[in-house]
Amino acid sequence: MDLKMLLSDQGRADPFSIYAHLHSSGQAVALDATKDGYAAAVYGYEAVSRVLRDPRFRQLGGEYMEANHSGWRRHRALVVLRDSMFFSDGPVHDRMRQRIGRYFTPRRMAILEPSVAELTKVTLERLATLPEPIDFMGEFAFLLPSSVMAEVLGVPQEDLGWFRPRVLAIGAILELDGATWRNMVRANTAADELTEYFTALVAARRAEPRDDLISILSDVDDAELIPNLITTFNAGFVTTTHLLGNGLMLLLDDPSLRGKTITDEILRYEPPVQIVLRYAIEDCAVDGVPVQAGQAILVMLGAANRDPKRFPDPDRFDPARPDNVSLSFSLGPHYCLGAALSKLEAEIAFPALFERFPGLALAQRPPEAKPLILRGHDQLLVTVR
Ligand code: HEM
């Protein structure tokens, strides 16, 4: 595969035909490491699952950055990301994950369910008051998961508007060719502002604890806590935002899907995270493709979800698929901590949305989604009446 093809306008608009072509042979393909920056792209379901569990493949954390991008520490956004569990591995990762994981229990999900239902209702009632056309992405798909995450962390709801541009600025540098100078400047400013915000909020919760994630973690020191709060908060809604946006498009295209349980199939078919990155800590091979120590690879979750060996007729949207376990939440030590929460949100939101607004329709067809890592629409203009 030529990475340029995937990054072209056509590849971005329809990566799925590239995935289909890749699946005609093998599970991984060599890329030009010098030109592309990645030694291989792994796309077979089985190979992707294996790599995600293989301790020889790590996140592009601090050690990788030291070796490949001297001066990276000048970028506060990169430092915040690398100081979090997302980009850590080994015992440091496991410790951080265990601490944050204290919160994400099945019991907590049961406690959150009525709040998610209530926040859904409030967000829908607010939609009814807005002039049309309404941007579904901003006014619902973003607002609901961010309100839920605000509840989880203990962020005051009235601060959410302030967060969106900052969260999007950090998300922009995670895109495959997103670390442009302009994006970095914005992301660094956002990282500074978010650090300042959460430092103050943590201090407030230490003084007066509540029943929220920040209060539960108040014994963790700031150097570890703040980067994890920023990244968990971000992870909690950019992704779920796209789950809701991508799901809405599918439900509008085929009204017979309404009322069915379709969350797992939306996740398989249009995963909000299409690609994750890893690098090898020793020389090895994936499905016969050599990867040298220090080289990075693309781990293509979205392509693995369309592997015909795992999902027959993979380009068909079929909520009745048996054993529908996609790789959309990753696998192994970095398996998404919020998988249950985001599924809960989608399962509550879609039925409530169409019950409240049976006539919901697109006001105009949006352009195809462009991002290849955090994939979804920036804007979806709809009418609800
Ligand atoms: C549809 C929604 C979501 C999707 C598709 C998604 C996807 C992912 C993926 C693919 C990863 C692993 C990245 C990797 O292996 O490199 C991940 C990790 C993570 N996600 Fe999610 N996520 C979603 C929602 C959430 C929510 C709601 C939360 C928080 C409440 C959350 C918190 C996290 C955290 C903390 C990690 C890092 C875990 C670790 O590194 O050990 N995510 N997510």
Side-chain angles (χ1 to χ4, degrees), residues 18 29 78 111 127 164 175 193 200 212 234 237 251 272 277 280 327 341 381:
I18 297 180
V29 62
L78 296 180
I111 295 173
L127 271 195
R164 192 174 185 213
E175 192 48 34
E193 291 168 348
D212 55 40
N234 285 22
F237 55 79
L251 286 161
L277 308 176
L327 297 178
L341 180 59
L381 294 178

Side-chain angles (χ1 to χ4, degrees), residues 1-3 6 22 27-44 47-48 51 57 60 64 176 275-280 284-292 294-300:
M1 180 180 78
D2 183 354
L3 191 60
L6 189 66
L22 287 171
Q27 300 210 58
V29 62
L31 298 175
D32 181 339
T34 335
K35 198 161 64 78
D36 297 330
Y38 302 96
V42 189
Y43 51 84
V48 166
V51 164
F57 287 100
L60 276 50
Y64 176 86
L176 269 191
I275 299 175
V276 295
L277 308 176
R278 295 290 190 269
Y279 81 102
C284 48
V286 184
D287 198 41
V289 177
V291 183
Q292 287 166 23
Q295 287 185 325
I297 60 171
L298 302 176
V299 184
M300 303 177 77

